Each structure stands twice: as structure tokens, then as C-alpha cells.
Amino acid sequence: TADLSGSTGSAAYAGFFGKLSGAEIRNLTVNGTITGKDYTTTYMGGVAGYCKNTTLENCVNQAKLAVATYTAAPNYLVEKRVHRTGGVVGYAVDTQLARCENKANVSGLAFFGGIAGTATRVTFRQCVNSGDISYTATELPVSGTCVTLGGVAALLRTGNRVLGCVNTGTITVQVSHTATNEKVDYNAMAGGLAALSHGYRAASPESNNVIENSCNRGAVSVSVDVTGAGSKRENAKAGGAVGNEYAGGLLVANFYNTGTVTASVRETGGNAMSGGVIGGGIKATGELINVWYSGVRQPYGQTGPATQTNVTFFEPSDGVGAAMVTAFNAYQTEWSQYNAVWAAGADGYPVVTELTPLPAELRTLSLGGKVIIDQEKRTISAVFSGPGTDLSRVYVGYAETSMAGATV
């Protein structure tokens, strides 16, 4: 356990560790206060500001995260400048986060994820955010910027896996502003697990983001209220799993939401989007599979995904916990890398009791061949097919292996 009371980060990195690469950190709890030096701080997290090719396991943040006062830039919130901030790590790339937790309540940071601020090709496994996350302001950042809050991550860039994760904290964005002839282009988004997912399924399947065997138990609320003269555009997006999905390539499977989800704007022409699973921006390549949700009647706040399988609305009084446990334990698709065992929790709702890697196994491909894959390494070790079969693009779940020009 580390106590960092009074600690101040460097100009670029703030955390117990400023920057990690190729490291393994286990069983670390951080207490106290971590303060970004000033508006130039780019990465801030309780355990580390930045991680690459790193494993963080059983790491817990209980420290307060804050930014030193900076007043030299009028009408620009210093908190927004620290744009990669997370309870455990600010920015993670090619990193494993297993059984990590944020217990700290966080307020005043406009870009924050309970576990990670921004993630690229990161696996979050059985991570928990129990801290309340809030942003309340009467002054806006520069026009066109965005408030982005998520229980696990603020931004899932590409190739991320959120597996067996839970958010129980409330996530709240409440912004009010009186415009005085300036142009206001204001965006705010929040999600129980992630505020924004930015995958590229059309370009390459391995760039998809996957949320699987996870749940949100906290309320999610986004309110944008801009009055006065001037040109105004307000966007508020809230989702039980993800606030806003951009560019396609998001799979949400074996997920449930019990938190209330609300989004509101003042302007008649503004956009307020709320969904029990996803708030706004759904693309045709998104998929919802074996999903249960409450909190708001619709599963998504904008155009629905191309594939929706076993998507069920429920009221908290319906007593569907046992039915969800049965459905979740029966589920597995070609995307699954881990086997989850669900059981009823103390309040009757499902909890993941085990999450174990699936062994290498024989899979049948759509082209009629078979492939032995390693779920941990996501590699193909053998391919069998008929004469003349084109193997130029072989898909295994969301992993793609290039075999240009190969035929059998």
C-alpha cells in the first residue's frame, strides 16, 4: 500500500508510476492525493499515468485525483486539458488489467474512466469501479470539446476487451452555461462501462471493441443546459454500457444494466440520446447479443445495430435474476476468449464467479474448413480445408489472420 498524500505529478505524467513499459505490477493499493502539475499534464492515473506492454493485476486506487489550479487560459477548464485520466491508469496500450479496482470518488475531471482514461488493445478482466464519477460546471471548455466519463474507460479506441467487469458507481454530467454571443458547440457523453467506443470493424475485425460477461449497476446521467444569445449546439449521450459508439465494430454480449439512464438538452434542435445499452452513434456493424437492460425503455438512443439477438427489457420488480444466470451460463460464441461462470449475487442479480481462458480448440469456419486456435495468444496453429479453397482472409472471432494467396 502506497500513500501519496501531497504528491504532484510531472508535466506529462502523474501517478504512483509516471510511465511504465514492459512492467508487471501486482497487489498495489494507492492512497492519498495525486495532483497533475498543471494544464500540461497529459496522462494521469492512480497507479500509472501511462502503460505500454504492461500487466497490472490486483491494483487498487483509493487516491484522490486532481489538477493544480491554472488560470492563465480564460474560458478553458484546466481539467479538460488532462485528457487521459483514469482511476488506475491514464492511458494504456497493449496492456493487461486484471482484477483492478477504483474505489475513489472523482469530480471535476472532464475526461475520466474508472479504470483507464484511454485504452488501445487492452484487456480489462474482472475490473471494478465502485467510485462515483461526476462533472458539474457552469463554464464550458473551448467550443467543440467534449466531456467524456465512463465506469471502466472514458475512451475505448480499438481492439479492447472488457471481460467480466462491473461498474457500481454513479456517473453524472451536469453542465449549465449562459452564452453571450459566442458559438457554443458542446458535447457530453457517459456510459456505465465506457463513454466512447471507437472501433473499425469494416477495416479489420481485430480492431473491434468487445464488452462481454459484464454489467453496469450505477445510474448514468448527462444534462447539457446552454442559454443566452449566440449559436448553440448541444449533444448529450448516455448509455448503460457505452455512451457513444463511433465508426462501428462494437460487440456487447452477455451484458446487463440495472442503472437508470437519462440524457437531456435545453435546445429544441439539440440531441439527447439515452439507451439501456448504448446511447448514441450506433453503426450498422454493431451487435447486441444476449443483453438484458432496464433504466430506459430503448436499448439504444440512435439507429439500432445490424444484429440484435436475445435483447430483453426488464423492470427491477420483474425478478429476472435467475433467468439471466441461466441465459448467461448457456452463452458462448466464436468471439469468446474466456469461459464465464455466473451465479446469483446477494441481491439476486448475476455475478461472475469464474472467468477462465478457453483452451485451444477446433473451430469450424464459414468457408467450411477447420482451425485450431489458441485463445490466449489469438493465433492459428493449423488450417484444414478442401482443394481450391481461398484462404486469403480467415476470420476467427474478431481475430483476422492474413494468408494472402494461400489455397489448399
Side-chain angles (χ1 to χ4, degrees):
T1 300
D3 189 341
L4 297 182
S5 296
S7 175
T8 300
S10 69
Y13 308 98
F16 181 78
F17 299 99
K19 185 176 182 180
L20 293 171
S21 181
E24 294 185 8
I25 308 296
R26 294 181 170 85
N27 305 318
L28 173 65
T29 298
V30 179
N31 296 305
T33 301
I34 297 174
T35 305
K37 182 179 180 181
D38 56 28
Y39 75 100
T40 61
T41 302
T42 303
Y43 310 103
M44 181 165 67
V47 174
Y50 178 89
C51 288
K52 185 172 183 179
N53 297 319
T54 289
T55 296
L56 300 179
E57 186 174 355
N58 295 323
C59 292
V60 179
N61 177 60
Q62 299 180 154
K64 177 182 178 182
L65 301 174
V67 182
T69 301
Y70 182 76
T71 59
N75 200 35
Y76 203 126
L77 296 179
V78 58
E79 292 89 349
K80 180 66 187 86
R81 296 298 292 271
V82 185
H83 59 281
R84 294 183 177 96
T85 309
V88 176
V89 57
Y91 191 7
V93 180
D94 297 319
T95 287
Q96 301 285 319
L97 293 163
R99 294 180 295 279
C100 292
E101 184 173 359
N102 175 61
K103 296 182 177 181
N105 296 331
V106 176
S107 62
L109 294 175
F111 188 104
F112 183 84
I115 305 300
T118 298
T120 301
R121 298 180 302 276
V122 172
T123 297
F124 300 86
R125 183 159 50 90
Q126 291 180 284
C127 293
V128 177
N129 175 67
S130 57
D132 294 334
I133 302 170
S134 64
Y135 181 84
T136 302
T138 56
E139 181 184 12
L140 298 180
V142 166
S143 181
T145 56
C146 184
V147 174
T148 311
L149 305 182
V152 171
L155 170 59
L156 296 174
R157 291 195 63 85
T158 59
N160 298 286
R161 303 292 181 264
V162 178
L163 309 174
C165 293
V166 180
N167 173 64
T168 61
T170 60
I171 302 175
T172 307
V173 179
Q174 186 171 359
V175 177
S176 60
H177 177 69
T178 300
T180 55
N181 295 316
E182 80 266 34
K183 177 181 178 181
V184 176
D185 181 2
Y186 198 80
N187 299 283
M189 60 189 71
L193 298 182
L196 175 61
S197 172
H198 197 298
Y200 291 103
R201 182 171 185 180
S204 55
E206 68 269 22
S207 296
N208 289 310
N209 289 319
V210 176
I211 295 173
E212 189 176 34
N213 293 310
S214 299
C215 67
N216 174 58
R217 304 295 306 273
V220 181
S221 174
V222 179
S223 172
V224 179
D225 185 350
V226 180
T227 61
S231 172
K232 298 178 286 294
R233 187 174 72 172
E234 303 168 326
N235 294 288
K237 301 176 181 180
V242 175
N244 190 44
E245 195 273 339
Y246 180 77
L250 172 66
L251 168 70
V252 181
N254 246 31
F255 167 84
Y256 75 93
N257 171 64
T258 62
T260 57
V261 182
T262 59
S264 64
V265 297
R266 173 181 284 269
E267 288 294 302
T268 303
N271 296 305
M273 304 175 188
S274 60
V277 185
I278 302 171
I282 281 291
K283 305 295 181 181
T285 55
E287 298 185 39
L288 306 182
I289 304 175
N290 210 30
V291 167
W292 300 63
Y293 70 97
S294 62
V296 62
R297 277 284 175 180
Q298 65 275 11
Y300 41 83
Q302 205 169 356
T303 305
T307 301
Q308 299 177 54
T309 306
N310 299 330
V311 177
T312 305
F313 173 81
F314 68 93
E315 296 284 3
S317 59
D318 289 345
V320 297
M324 284 195 283
V325 169
T326 299
F328 291 160
N329 281 328
Y331 162 86
Q332 192 180 108
T333 73
E334 66 267 30
W335 298 289
S336 301
Q337 296 177 36
Y338 286 77
N339 180 60
V341 176
W342 292 79
D347 61 356
Y349 283 110
V351 295
V352 174
T353 58
E354 294 181 37
L355 192 67
T356 56
L358 289 169
E361 63 183 51
L362 200 63
R363 288 282 178 85
T364 299
L365 300 177
S366 59
L367 53 78
K370 294 179 182 294
V371 60
I372 297 174
I373 62 172
D374 188 310
Q375 297 282 3
E376 283 282 87
K377 297 180 180 178
R378 299 170 63 78
T379 58
I380 294 177
S381 57
V383 174
F384 309 88
S385 190
T389 301
D390 181 9
L391 302 178
S392 60
R393 294 176 76 83
V394 175
Y395 293 83
V396 182
Y398 276 147
E400 177 183 335
T401 296
S402 176
M403 302 178 68
T407 58
V408 177

